[in-house]
Amino acid sequence: NTILVWDTTQNPPVLVHTLSGHTNLVEALTVVRDRLYLGSWDTTIHQWDVALSPPGLLNTLEGHTGSVTALVVAGDRLYSGSRDDTVRVWDITQSPPMSLHTLTEHTNIVYSLTVAGDRL
């Protein structure tokens, strides 16, 4: 349910922040610039501003009906895969991020996502 943030410049590393708020396990995460996205078994995605100290929870993205298992950011889009057999496309230039599309052609859990050029 939580993510621990460590200062790895210290020897040994020092725990500096604990990010909480999900009501179930966190299974996926991705970072782009100063934004951290966490996907959880509670079916939500949390968007954090990690430039703040302590980091601040900006938004909770809802839309999946199964746990969020995969996240990737490319350009101004966040892609999320889920145990509901879908991929959602989010516009992360909006606040809160807006769900643009739900890709429903998968026939099983989406465990991993990557972007290569203009292909997901």
Side-chain angles (χ1 to χ4, degrees), residues 8-32:
T8 59
T9 64
Q10 304 294 317
N11 189 10
V14 174
L15 178 63
V16 291
H17 301 293
T18 301
L19 309 182
S20 59
H22 281 291
T23 60
N24 211 321
L25 299 173
V26 173
E27 184 165 353
L29 65 85
T30 191
V31 178
V32 61

Side-chain angles (χ1 to χ4, degrees), residues 30-91:
T30 191
V31 178
V32 61
R33 295 177 293 281
D34 58 353
R35 297 293 187 258
L36 169 66
Y37 298 90
L38 303 175
S40 173
W41 283 16
D42 67 12
T43 74
T44 68
I45 301 164
H46 284 181
Q47 179 191 46
W48 290 84
D49 185 337
V50 293
L52 300 174
S53 186
L57 178 61
L58 297 176
N59 294 293
T60 299
L61 288 63
E62 298 178 328
H64 283 292
T65 58
S67 60
V68 179
T69 53
L71 296 170
V72 67
V73 172
D76 58 0
R77 300 289 187 258
L78 169 69
Y79 301 92
S80 57
S82 172
R83 290 183 188 273
D84 65 9
D85 306 344
T86 68
V87 172
R88 284 190 173 259
V89 182
W90 305 85
D91 179 353

